[in-house]
């Protein structure tokens, strides 16, 4: 039987979010109903609200979530009722060309629920990243659920559902940071600071945080940065990075901003044959113009990181275990805990750069 619960939607471009009644249908054969306990407020949700993703309004916002499996479809084998899960938007299909080539972290045909959640008048909702988790209960595909240690704080565990995983994976998976490497991270919001934490976990010995906000640089230091550069106080970021690395540049640069000017800084701030990782998301109109010979002469790797090139089934449980062991400070990303009716205020705090993550808590 379907059920009606409270959820947060964006009805039109730029309009304030609304807390409304949402109808959650019975799960299809491979679907799962998850009782949401906590959901992080991510920049991607703001992008949906402001029309930066597509125009398939109304959107059911939220995707960075953890909760308890309440009901399962007839063919579900991946999880059971009562499991504590983190939701993910890379439910690999196992059949696409990426999966068959042994690179499932690039899966081009990820699974979503077979049915749409709706408003009470029958209007179908577009679930953010195929999840929609600013809601008391949501409907997802079983592959979007990853079981983790049930003793973990849901507000912390849910962060792996998007931004924190994107940053950790940008350093550890895409950038392949190793012991003794030097790393620079441009942009020290939630994703950038997660890249810093990932670089530290991977054994980097010099980690340079770059931002224009002193508060963000302080957060970066608390999460593992060994050096900081305030871009508003130096003439040239590239020179400042080189000054900290004997004139050479770093082994890996993570651009967590995603603008042409920051990508250029990343490109030139790396050592010869170094790696650039773009994890910040550019907008469609952004263009890049550079001498082609510089790409050839500097060598190395230029990579984009999708969701930190993660495999949820591999990475989420491992990272939760590292957190529980005290080796990965995931809890430091939780700046504030708010209620389901506070999403609009959380977006304003995000735009003002006042938080690493606001987390909506639905169950204490």
């Amino acid at each position: 039987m379907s059920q009606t619960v409270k959820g947060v939607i964006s009805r039109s471009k730029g309009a304030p979010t609304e807390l409304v009644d949402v109808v959650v249908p019975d799960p299809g054969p491979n679907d799962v109903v998850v009782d949401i306990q906590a959901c992080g407020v991510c920049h991607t949700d703001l992008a949906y609200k402001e029309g930066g993703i597509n125009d398939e309004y109304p959107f059911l916002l939220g995707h960075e979530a953890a909760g308890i499996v309440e009901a399962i479809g007839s063919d579900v084998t991946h999880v059971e009722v009562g499991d504590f899960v983190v939701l993910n938007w890379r439910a690999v299909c196992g059949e696409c060309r990426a999966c068959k080539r042994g690179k499932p972290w690039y899966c081009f045909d990820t699974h979503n629920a077979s049915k749409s959640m709706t408003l009470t008048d029958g209007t179908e909702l577009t679930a953010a990243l195929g999840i929609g988790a600013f809601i008391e209960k949501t409907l997802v595909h079983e592959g979007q659920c990853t079981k983790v240690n049930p003793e973990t704080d849901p507000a912390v565990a849910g962060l792996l559902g998007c931004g924190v995983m994107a940053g950790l994976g940008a350093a550890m998976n895409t950038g392949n940071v190793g012991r003794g490497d030097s790393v620079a991270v441009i942009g020290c919001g939630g994703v950038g600071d997660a890249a810093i934490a990932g670089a530290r976990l991977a054994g980097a010995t010099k980690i340079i945080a770059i931002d224009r906000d002193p508060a963000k640089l302080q957060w970066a230091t608390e999460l593992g940065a060994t050096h900081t550069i305030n871009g508003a106080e130096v003439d040239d970021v590239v020179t400042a990075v080189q000054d900290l690395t004997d004139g050479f540049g770093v082994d890996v640069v993570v651009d967590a901003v995603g603008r042409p000017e920051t990508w250029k800084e990343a490109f030139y701030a790396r050592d010869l044959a170094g790696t650039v990782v773009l994890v910040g998301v550019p907008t469609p109109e952004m263009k890049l113009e550079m001498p082609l010979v510089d790409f050839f002469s500097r060598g190395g790797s230029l990579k984009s990181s999708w969701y930190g090139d993660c495999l949820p089934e591999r990475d989420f449980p491992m990272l939760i275990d590292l957190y529980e062991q005290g080796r990965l400070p995931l809890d430091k990303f939780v700046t504030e805990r708010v209620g389901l009716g506070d999403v609009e205020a959380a977006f304003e705090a995000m735009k003002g750069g006042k938080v690493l993550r606001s987390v909506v808590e639905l169950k204490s």
Side-chain angles (χ1 to χ4, degrees):
M1 180 181 295
S2 65
Q3 49 188 319
T4 301
V5 300
K6 293 293 185 182
V8 176
I9 69 166
S10 174
R11 200 178 293 272
S12 61
K13 182 177 179 179
T17 55
E18 301 175 40
L19 181 61
V20 300
D21 287 335
V22 175
V23 178
V24 181
D26 282 344
N30 292 105
D31 297 337
V32 173
V33 175
V34 178
D35 189 358
I36 299 298
Q37 295 186 304
C39 183
V41 182
C42 178
H43 277 274
T44 304
D45 295 307
L46 182 61
Y48 273 106
K49 175 179 179 289
E50 297 184 342
I53 305 295
N54 57 50
D55 60 356
E56 297 174 6
Y57 293 93
F59 293 115
L60 175 60
L61 300 177
H63 59 279
E64 205 174 72
I68 304 294
V69 174
E70 179 186 86
I72 61 176
S74 58
D75 295 340
V76 170
T77 60
H78 185 61
V79 292
E80 298 178 348
V81 172
D83 284 342
F84 177 60
V85 297
V86 175
L87 302 186
N88 72 78
W89 47 270
R90 176 155 288 164
V92 299
C93 71
E95 297 294 331
C96 72
R97 59 194 185 280
C99 288
K100 288 182 175 179
R101 291 173 61 194
K103 299 180 178 180
W105 50 89
Y106 293 141
C107 181
F108 302 137
D109 192 23
T110 57
H111 293 302
N112 291 311
S114 63
K115 305 177 183 180
S116 295
M117 290 172 277
T118 68
L119 299 177
T120 53
D121 64 3
T123 301
E124 291 191 357
L125 296 169
T126 301
L129 290 178
I131 293 175
F134 289 152
I135 191 170
E136 292 169 327
K137 299 175 184 181
T138 195
L139 183 73
V140 294
H141 188 276
E142 62 176 313
Q144 293 178 277
C145 300
T146 302
K147 291 185 287 187
V148 298
N149 185 340
E151 300 301 317
T152 304
D153 179 356
V156 173
L159 298 181
L160 294 178
C162 190
V164 170
M165 183 69 251
L168 288 168
M172 300 172 68
N173 296 333
T174 316
N176 197 29
V177 173
R179 288 178 294 178
D181 281 350
S182 55
V183 177
V185 176
I186 303 175
C188 298
V191 173
D193 279 355
I196 287 169
R200 180 184 182 187
L201 188 64
T205 52
K206 182 170 288 186
I207 305 172
I208 304 170
I210 304 166
D211 204 286
R212 301 174 67 86
D213 185 336
K216 290 184 177 180
L217 292 174
Q218 179 59 41
W219 289 338
T221 300
E222 293 172 4
L223 285 158
T226 60
H227 301 75
T228 62
I229 295 172
N230 188 324
E233 297 178 352
V234 298
D235 293 330
D236 180 64
V237 165
V238 172
T239 300
V241 172
Q242 291 171 338
D243 287 345
L244 291 171
T245 54
D246 299 322
F248 298 119
V250 293
D251 299 305
V252 180
V253 186
V254 177
D255 177 7
V257 177
R259 296 187 56 85
E261 56 268 33
T262 55
W263 194 91
K264 284 184 179 180
E265 289 174 342
F267 181 87
Y268 290 110
R270 66 192 171 118
D271 199 355
L272 289 174
T275 298
V276 173
V277 177
L278 174 63
V279 66
V281 182
T283 56
E285 73 276 5
M286 291 179 179
K287 307 292 183 183
L288 184 68
E289 183 174 343
M290 293 174 60
L292 185 59
V293 68
D294 285 2
F295 290 86
F296 175 79
S297 60
R298 296 187 68 86
S301 298
L302 310 175
K303 298 182 176 183
S304 297
S305 186
W306 299 345
Y307 201 4
D309 290 342
C310 79
L311 278 177
E313 294 299 308
R314 175 193 67 192
D315 294 341
F316 289 7
M318 172 193 67
L319 293 168
I320 289 294
D321 285 348
L322 290 170
Y323 163 67
E324 294 292 348
Q325 295 167 16
R327 298 168 62 190
L328 179 61
L330 292 176
D331 55 311
K332 290 187 177 181
F333 289 89
V334 180
T335 308
E336 63 174 5
R337 298 168 187 251
V338 301
L340 195 56
D342 302 320
V343 170
E344 191 68 25
F347 281 142
E348 292 303 312
M350 175 193 297
K351 288 191 285 188
K354 299 177 182 177
V355 295
L356 277 179
R357 268 297 182 272
S358 301
V359 178
V360 174
E361 289 191 311
L362 291 96
K363 302 290 188 299
S364 58

